[in-house]
């Protein structure tokens, strides 16, 4: 999220005139027409705040906080709730439904506040006529934001540009008497706030840089510094700034707001911190230079500066018009947020305001009611507490009796009574249960920094409110749970499809990580285990911020991997967070020179180290990857600093880990079997082709079928004795592994028999007998076998036997092509064969081409290359080398048909040099 805040001044419309579209307006005639104001927006803008939000689900909550903090800083508490509700709906439309960035602009004027929400999906439209019902019902997602604008906003509209769609609404401030911000009733003197005999108001002015430029006499009296001692110093040197209840604002940000009001401390000259209540006002001088005027009083005299809080909602159920009012709406306000997070956040804010508290929190019970899960808070470090779990019945403290209201006047007297408030500075607290039909569904609490703030009377008031909202909260929780379950099923179906679509181990690891980040976790790491005797190995790391991946990978490689425990379910792994904390601490100490080492050598590495520590500093869980009763790895999921996992997310991650484990093991088995198959197939291929003096030899081999290196076709060129070489090219019936088995038998038998000194016909007759001995596994075989003897005159003498194989072709230097042998019976069919050999003499420059039927039977529809087509191609190869001849023949075969070859192919070309 990126934000900007520019108080004061006139803000022109940033859009060029050519792109400004008129407001979309509905037909104002007829009952129920869209009421969209057509008046131009005010030209005098006194403050402006802008922010941009990424298209992710969590941006909706961030946008609500941005608008809430902005309007609170401007002092517009009366319209915060309505503004947050409308912004939440419009930002949801942009980042969730439209899937684009959402730009939020808040403009303050004398008339009220205008908020503009722009998305980058300009094609979306709204109806220009008709009743509000046509825009969608409250049960539908589409159109509900516009319906709420029509119901709540004083004015609203939609504007289009070629690249953006902007929905704006304006909320007018309540009418007040001229010059009056707020007023209270007349009170007896005994009921007035208590103050010292003389109320001192320190006036401190802070310039643009945050330094003190003015310091009055009351400031000197309150804090002990003279004006000369503090002028020019940053206010942050004196301020003891706690977490501001209800906002996430620090002192630097507070000084930039147009208006701010709250408590903090000032360190006096005696070293003590004086609690003060302050009111900040951002102003500018005549030259346009901004500064902040701070009025400060002692904290117990806050009534001097504090804006009176609004009166709490009445407990009555009858409105001023005599009609019955829903008690739930009395507490929450109307309209109530329609999402669970918004409802819970509204609840804690109203509970805090109702009891004038500094913080409030709400926990929901788990399904088994044994734990309470933090779901909303205000005035507390919510990032650290969100989704944290607290046992209900464990220990003697507050949550041992979560089913009853409880009041603690001072938590210092009962340490750990409310674990959620440990280390927050809260002293007094009141908590009440949320119950539906006698069943514990949650707990609501408010707390204050001062002790003794609450009694049984406040507990009864809070319990009354809790009883009014318990049913609505439970209904919203069940609805969210149902949506989460539906989303989980959809997520698992998609994950299963993706994991089943690959058998590559590395791709499976990448898919596992990409499906978990950022849907389930902020970062993840996958450990794999090769076998039972191997240690876990860090195989893959992913973070939603790619710049942090290397740092996390380096950190995890330095610590021992988690134990490969086969117990199902997620277990917490504290080692990464501890290691990251230690690394950050050591880097910080070295940068400060506290370890005795030079500081300049490590200062550049502090940023990445601290970023890594923040990334892995939250909760880390490990889920075993178990497949076929064996732990094959671990899936590690992590959150950034002080964040926790929801139980529903862990259950979803456990389901995903089971599917991922099986997919990873399948990929492993496939890789192993592929490696075995390839090793066996390579063993059937002949070794390198021997060098024959005066003869060029080239072989091209293509096996049909994906992943096959050897099929039913085979070739071989080998030495028989000095000056004599054997060559063979054959085709076993069929393709694939079964044919490859006969291929191995034929090739090895040929070598053995030929080296025994047998003639060509004798070699093939014995091979025929060996094939028939295979019985049912035997397959018939076509084979061209020959012996080559280079001659002293440069020619080569060949003795050839062609047993049922396509005839070899001889290419002469003059371009004529002729068969170099006669056809004879194939092998593996008849026991008694009468074969004979033929002698062929190749003159220098002649080429002998031998192919299998995968070449000659190449088809395109009814057309077939055939022997004649092969001879035509060979006639174009005059003068080419053996390698060029083989390559030209293969190109011609591939171009003859568009489909992939369905049969094995082998080409053997021999040329006498």
């Amino acid at each position: 999220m990126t934000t900007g805040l520019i108080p004061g001044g006139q803000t022109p419309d940033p859009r060029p005139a050519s792109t400004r579209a008129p407001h979309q307006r509905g037909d104002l005639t007829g009952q129920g027409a869209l009421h969209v104001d057509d008046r131009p927006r005010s030209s005098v803008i006194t403050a402006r705040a802008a922010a941009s939000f990424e298209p992710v689900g969590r941006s909706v909550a961030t946008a609500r906080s941005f608008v809430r903090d902005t309007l609170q800083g401007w002092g517009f508490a009366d319209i915060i709730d309505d503004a947050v509700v409308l912004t939440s709906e419009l930002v949801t439309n942009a980042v969730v439904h439209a899937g684009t960035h959402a730009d939020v602009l808040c403009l303050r004027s004398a008339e009220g506040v205008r908020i503009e929400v722009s998305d980058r999906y300009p094609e979306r439209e709204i109806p220009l006529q008709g009743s509000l019902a046509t825009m969608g019902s409250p049960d539908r997602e589409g159109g509900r934001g516009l319906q709420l604008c029509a119901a709540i906003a004083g004015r609203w509209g939609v504007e289009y540009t070629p690249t953006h769609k902007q929905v704006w609404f304006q909320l007018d401030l309540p009418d007040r008497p001229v010059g009056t911000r707020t007023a209270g009733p007349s009170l007896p003197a005994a009921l007035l706030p208590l103050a010292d005999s003389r109320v001192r108001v320190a006036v401190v002015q802070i310039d643009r840089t945050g330094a003190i430029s003015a310091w009055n006499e009351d400031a000197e009296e309150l804090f002990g510094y003279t004006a000369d001692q503090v002028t020019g110093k940053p206010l942050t040197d004196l301020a003891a700034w706690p977490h501001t209840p209800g906002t996430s604002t620090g002192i630097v940000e507070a000084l930039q707001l147009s208006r701010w009001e709250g408590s903090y401390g000032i360190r006096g000259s005696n070293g003590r911190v004086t609690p003060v209540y302050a009111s900040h006002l951002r102003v500018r001088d005549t030259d346009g230079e901004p500064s902040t005027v701070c009025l400060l009083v002692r904290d117990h005299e806050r009534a001097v500066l504090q804006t009176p809080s609004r009166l709490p909602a009445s407990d009555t159920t009858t409105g001023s018009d005599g009609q019955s009012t829903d008690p739930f709406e009395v507490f929450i306000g109307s309209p109530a947020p329609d999402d669970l997070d918004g409802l819970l956040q509204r609840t804690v804010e109203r509970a805090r305001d109702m009891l004038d508290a500094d913080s409030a929190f709400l926990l929901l019970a788990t399904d088994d009611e044994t734990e309470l899960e933090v779901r909303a808070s205000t005035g507390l470090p919510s990032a650290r507490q969100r989704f944290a779990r607290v046992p209900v019945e464990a220990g003697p403290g507050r949550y041992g009796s979560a089913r009853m209201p409880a009041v603690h006047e001072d938590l210092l007297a009962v340490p750990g009574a409310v674990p959620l408030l440990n280390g927050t500075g809260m002293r007094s607290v009141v908590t009440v249960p949320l119950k539906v039909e006698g069943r514990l569904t949650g707990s609501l609490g408010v707390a204050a920094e001062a002790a003794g703030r609450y009694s049984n009377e406040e507990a009864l008031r809070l319990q009354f409110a809790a009883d009014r909202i318990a049913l609505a909260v439970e209904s919203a929780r069940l609805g969210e749970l149902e949506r989460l379950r539906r989303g989980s099923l959809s997520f698992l179906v998609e994950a299963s499809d993706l994991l089943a679509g690959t058998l590559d181990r590395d791709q499976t690891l990448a898919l596992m990580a990409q499906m978990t980040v950022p849907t389930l976790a902020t970062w993840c790491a996958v450990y794999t285990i090769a076998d039972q005797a191997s240690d876990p190995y860090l195989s893959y790391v992913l973070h939603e911020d790619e710049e942090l991946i290397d740092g996390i990978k380096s950190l995890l490689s330095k610590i021992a991997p988690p134990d490969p425990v086969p117990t199902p379910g997620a277990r917490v792994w504290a080692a990464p967070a501890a290691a990251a904390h230690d690394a950050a601490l050591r880097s910080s100490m070295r940068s400060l020179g506290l370890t005795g080492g030079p500081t300049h050598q490590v200062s550049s590495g502090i940023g990445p180290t601290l970023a890594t520590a923040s990334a892995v500093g939250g909760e880390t869980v490990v889920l075993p990857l178990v497949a076929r009763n064996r732990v094959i790895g671990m899936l590690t999921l992590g959150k950034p600093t002080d964040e926790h996992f929801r139980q529903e997310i862990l259950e979803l991650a456990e389901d995903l880990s089971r599917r991922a484990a099986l997919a990873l093991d399948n990929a492993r088995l496939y890789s192993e079997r592929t490696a075995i198959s390839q090793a066996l197939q390579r063993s059937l291929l002949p070794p390198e082709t021997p060098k024959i003096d005066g003869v060029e030899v080239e072989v091209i081999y293509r096996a049909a079928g994906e992943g096959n290196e050897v099929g039913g076709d085979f070739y071989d060129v080998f030495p028989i004795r000095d000056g004599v070489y054997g060559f063979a090219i054959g085709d076993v019936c069929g393709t694939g592994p079964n044919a490859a088995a006969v291929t191995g038998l034929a090739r090895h038998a040929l070598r053995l028999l030929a080296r025994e000194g047998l003639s060509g016909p004798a070699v093939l007759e014995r091979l025929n007998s060996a094939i028939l001995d295979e019985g049912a596994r035997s397959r018939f075989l076509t084979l061209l076998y020959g012996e080559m003897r280079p001659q002293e005159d440069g020619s080569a003498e060949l003795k050839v036997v062609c047993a049922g194989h396509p005839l070899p072709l001889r290419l002469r230097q003059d371009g004529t092509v002729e068969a170099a042998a006669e056809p004879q019976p194939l092998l593996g069919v008849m026991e008694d064969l009468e074969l004979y050999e033929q002698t062929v003499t190749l003159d220098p420059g002649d080429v002998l081409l031998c192919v299998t039927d995968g070449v000659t039977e190449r088809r395109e529809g009814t057309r077939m290359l055939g022997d004649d087509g092969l001879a035509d191609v060979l006639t174009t190869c005059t003068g080419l080398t053996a390698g060029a001849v083989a390559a030209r023949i293969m190109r011609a075969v591939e171009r003859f048909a568009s489909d992939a070859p369905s049969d094995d192919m082998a080409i053997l070309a021999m040329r006498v040099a």
Side-chain angles (χ1 to χ4, degrees):
M1 180 188 79
T2 58
T3 63
L5 183 65
I6 308 175
Q10 179 175 340
T11 303
D13 193 331
R15 295 161 293 172
S18 61
T19 63
R20 296 176 194 168
H23 298 175
Q24 298 284 347
R25 290 186 295 273
D27 185 1
L28 299 184
T29 62
Q31 186 176 0
L34 296 178
H35 179 71
V36 187
D37 187 79
D38 59 354
R39 288 177 291 173
R41 82 182 188 193
S42 174
S43 60
V44 180
I45 304 299
T46 58
R48 175 183 184 275
S52 181
F53 302 93
E54 298 179 353
V56 293
R58 60 176 178 272
S59 293
V60 179
T62 309
R64 287 197 296 263
S65 298
F66 164 71
V67 172
R68 182 181 295 107
D69 291 348
T70 299
L71 298 188
Q72 181 170 321
W74 290 347
F76 293 163
D78 295 319
I79 60 175
I80 284 179
D81 294 337
D82 291 341
V84 167
V85 169
L86 296 179
T87 302
S88 178
E89 289 295 333
L90 298 178
V91 172
T92 299
N93 288 341
V95 304
V96 176
H97 303 309
T100 76
H101 283 71
D103 300 322
V104 180
L105 175 64
C106 301
L107 301 173
R108 185 185 69 183
S109 65
E111 298 179 4
V113 172
R114 173 185 171 118
I115 297 180
E116 302 175 355
V117 179
S118 301
D119 64 38
R120 301 169 191 180
Y121 190 56
E123 292 83 1
R124 305 185 71 186
E125 300 178 353
I126 64 169
L128 297 181
Q129 295 183 352
S131 65
L132 292 179
T134 63
M135 290 196 294
S137 67
D139 296 329
R140 295 181 62 251
E141 294 294 334
R144 187 170 53 195
L146 301 179
Q147 187 179 15
L148 286 176
C149 286
I152 298 176
R155 283 171 279 173
W156 69 281
V158 183
E159 300 178 4
Y160 290 94
T161 71
T163 58
H164 289 71
K165 185 193 78 175
Q166 179 191 98
V167 181
W168 64 268
F169 61 89
Q170 179 161 325
L171 299 174
D172 298 329
L173 296 177
D175 293 333
R176 293 174 177 150
V178 177
T180 302
R181 173 179 171 84
T182 184
S186 300
L187 294 176
L191 298 180
L192 296 176
L194 183 64
D196 291 346
S197 57
R198 181 180 184 277
V199 176
R200 298 187 180 274
V201 179
V203 180
V204 182
Q205 192 160 5
I206 312 299
D207 63 18
R208 177 195 294 268
T209 65
I212 298 173
S213 59
W215 185 268
N216 73 343
E217 294 181 358
D218 279 358
E220 295 182 9
E221 183 66 25
L222 287 174
F223 311 123
Y225 300 105
T226 63
D228 294 338
Q229 289 177 304
V230 296
T231 300
K233 291 185 177 181
L235 180 63
T236 53
D237 289 352
L238 305 180
W241 189 267
H243 183 84
T244 305
T247 71
S248 57
T249 308
I251 185 171
V252 176
E253 291 81 4
L255 294 174
Q256 297 298 317
L257 296 175
S258 61
R259 184 179 296 276
W260 183 90
E261 189 176 311
S263 298
Y264 54 93
I266 297 293
R267 297 182 183 88
S269 60
N270 58 2
R272 296 181 179 179
V273 175
T274 301
V276 298
Y277 192 84
S279 176
H280 298 174
L281 177 65
R282 187 79 163 162
V283 298
R284 59 174 178 163
D285 60 21
T286 55
D287 295 328
E289 183 67 16
S291 62
T292 303
V293 178
C294 306
L295 306 179
L296 303 94
V297 297
R298 295 181 179 90
D299 191 63
H300 67 273
E301 297 173 336
R302 64 171 58 192
V304 176
L305 300 179
Q306 186 176 25
T307 300
S309 58
R310 289 174 294 168
L311 293 175
S314 173
D315 291 342
T316 63
T317 59
T318 303
S320 58
D321 57 358
Q323 297 182 353
S324 177
T325 304
D326 186 353
F328 171 74
E329 293 185 355
V330 170
F331 181 72
I332 293 297
S334 180
D338 56 0
D339 63 300
L340 179 61
D341 288 338
L343 175 61
L344 299 183
Q345 191 63 37
R346 176 82 65 86
T347 298
V348 294
E349 291 170 356
R350 290 296 173 87
R352 178 198 63 194
D353 296 343
M354 184 178 73
L355 296 186
D356 193 21
D358 296 314
S359 65
F361 51 91
L362 191 148
L363 302 88
L364 293 184
T366 55
D367 291 340
D368 56 7
E369 300 182 10
T370 60
E371 291 180 306
L372 295 173
E373 184 179 58
V374 180
R375 293 300 304 271
S377 65
T378 180
L380 297 174
S382 56
R384 175 170 66 89
Q385 304 291 350
R386 187 165 171 79
F387 299 126
R389 291 196 164 200
V390 180
V392 174
E393 303 297 343
R398 153 73 186 94
Y399 291 100
S401 57
R403 293 174 174 81
M404 297 293 292
V407 176
H408 289 283
E409 296 183 354
D410 192 350
L411 291 177
L412 294 181
V414 190
V418 184
L420 178 63
L421 301 180
N422 290 345
T424 61
M426 299 298 160
R427 296 283 298 276
S428 54
V429 60
V430 52
T431 58
V432 297
L434 299 177
K435 292 184 179 181
V436 175
E437 297 179 351
R439 179 172 55 87
L440 178 67
T441 60
S443 178
L444 174 64
V446 297
E449 297 175 352
R453 286 281 298 277
Y454 304 116
S455 63
N456 289 338
E457 181 180 352
E458 284 77 16
L460 291 175
R461 291 182 61 198
L462 189 62
Q463 184 67 71
F464 180 83
D467 292 341
R468 299 299 184 273
I469 65 170
L471 183 58
V473 169
E474 179 66 4
S475 298
R477 186 188 73 85
L478 293 177
E480 181 198 61
L481 185 60
E482 181 62 26
R483 289 191 296 272
L484 181 60
R485 287 173 178 168
R486 289 198 301 266
S488 299
L489 290 176
S490 176
F491 172 79
L492 291 175
V493 168
E494 182 179 358
S496 299
D497 289 343
L498 290 173
L499 292 171
T502 178
L503 288 173
D504 181 82
R505 175 184 176 276
D506 293 337
Q507 188 175 2
T508 302
L509 290 172
L511 284 174
M512 291 170 57
Q514 292 166 7
M515 285 185 292
T516 57
V517 176
T519 304
L520 304 181
T522 306
W523 64 271
C524 84
V526 183
Y527 291 84
T528 56
I529 303 174
D531 52 62
Q532 297 294 340
S534 302
D535 293 329
Y537 173 75
L538 181 61
S539 299
Y540 202 92
V541 175
L542 183 66
H543 190 281
E544 62 181 4
D545 184 354
E546 294 182 357
E547 296 182 356
L548 298 177
I549 294 177
D550 291 338
I552 297 176
K553 186 181 299 182
S554 176
L555 175 70
L556 295 178
S557 64
K558 296 176 182 178
I559 62 178
D563 296 330
V565 178
T567 306
R571 53 191 174 90
V572 177
W573 185 32
H581 174 77
D582 292 343
L585 181 60
R586 288 194 300 269
S587 296
S588 300
M589 293 179 66
R590 285 196 300 268
S591 68
L592 297 174
L594 300 179
T595 59
T599 60
H600 65 277
Q601 296 181 356
V602 298
S603 59
S604 61
I606 294 177
T609 301
L610 296 179
T612 302
S614 177
V616 303
E619 188 175 52
T620 302
V621 297
V622 178
L623 297 103
L625 298 175
V626 181
R628 298 177 175 90
N629 298 321
R630 186 173 73 88
V631 180
I632 64 171
M634 286 87 69
L635 177 63
T636 303
L637 306 179
K639 288 282 191 179
T641 302
D642 294 330
E643 288 197 18
H644 300 268
F645 286 98
R646 295 185 60 182
Q647 186 63 29
E648 293 84 356
I649 296 298
L650 294 180
E651 292 172 356
L652 182 58
E654 185 178 356
D655 287 338
L656 175 64
S657 68
R658 287 195 291 267
R659 290 164 170 77
L662 188 58
L664 185 62
D665 199 46
N666 288 340
R668 177 188 63 83
L669 293 175
Y670 177 78
S671 299
E672 291 178 356
R673 293 180 181 180
T674 300
I676 294 172
S677 174
Q678 292 174 347
L680 292 175
Q681 291 186 60
R682 283 191 293 268
S683 71
L684 300 176
L685 295 173
E688 295 181 358
T689 303
K691 300 294 183 181
I692 304 176
D693 293 337
V695 179
E696 299 174 357
V697 180
E698 183 66 26
V699 177
I700 295 179
Y701 183 81
R702 297 284 191 272
E706 182 179 359
N708 291 332
E709 296 186 25
V710 178
D713 290 5
F714 69 95
Y715 69 92
D716 202 358
V717 180
F718 57 92
I720 297 176
R721 51 188 176 274
D722 291 342
V724 181
Y725 297 87
F727 65 91
I729 184 169
D731 185 0
V732 178
C733 175
T735 60
N738 293 329
V742 180
T743 294
L745 170 65
R747 192 177 64 80
H748 289 96
L750 282 175
R751 287 195 172 216
L752 292 173
L753 295 172
R755 287 170 178 172
E756 289 294 324
L758 300 175
S759 64
V763 169
L764 268 60
E765 288 170 1
R766 283 167 174 77
L767 176 59
N768 180 62
S769 299
I771 294 174
L772 292 174
D773 289 343
E774 291 292 309
R777 296 182 299 173
S778 67
R779 290 170 176 259
F780 64 80
L781 166 68
T782 67
L783 179 65
L784 172 66
Y785 173 74
E787 295 180 0
M788 175 184 291
R789 187 190 305 270
Q791 303 298 310
E792 294 181 358
D793 61 357
S795 63
E797 182 184 82
L798 282 66
K799 294 182 179 181
V800 182
V801 180
C802 186
H805 198 78
L807 299 179
L809 300 178
R810 177 182 180 178
L811 171 65
R812 295 182 183 272
Q813 289 185 352
D814 59 2
T816 59
V817 175
E818 61 184 8
E822 297 177 353
Q824 300 183 55
L826 51 76
L827 307 180
V829 178
M830 298 179 293
E831 294 184 1
D832 298 327
L833 290 178
E834 294 183 3
L835 302 174
Y836 59 92
E837 63 184 8
Q838 298 173 270
T839 301
V840 180
T841 300
L842 296 181
D843 297 327
D846 288 354
V847 175
L848 184 71
L849 178 65
C850 309
V851 299
T852 59
D853 63 2
V855 174
T856 58
E857 295 180 1
R858 178 74 163 149
R859 294 179 180 275
E860 174 69 20
T862 59
R863 297 169 50 243
M864 185 173 71
L865 181 62
D867 296 335
D868 295 338
L870 179 62
D872 292 340
V873 176
L874 186 58
T875 58
T876 66
C877 298
T878 305
L880 300 181
T881 64
V885 171
R888 179 169 292 186
I889 297 298
M890 179 55 73
R891 284 198 302 271
V893 173
E894 291 175 343
R895 293 173 181 174
F896 187 80
S898 58
D899 295 337
S902 59
D903 196 4
D904 304 327
M905 292 187 294
I907 301 173
L908 172 61
M910 295 181 291
R911 178 180 180 273
V912 179

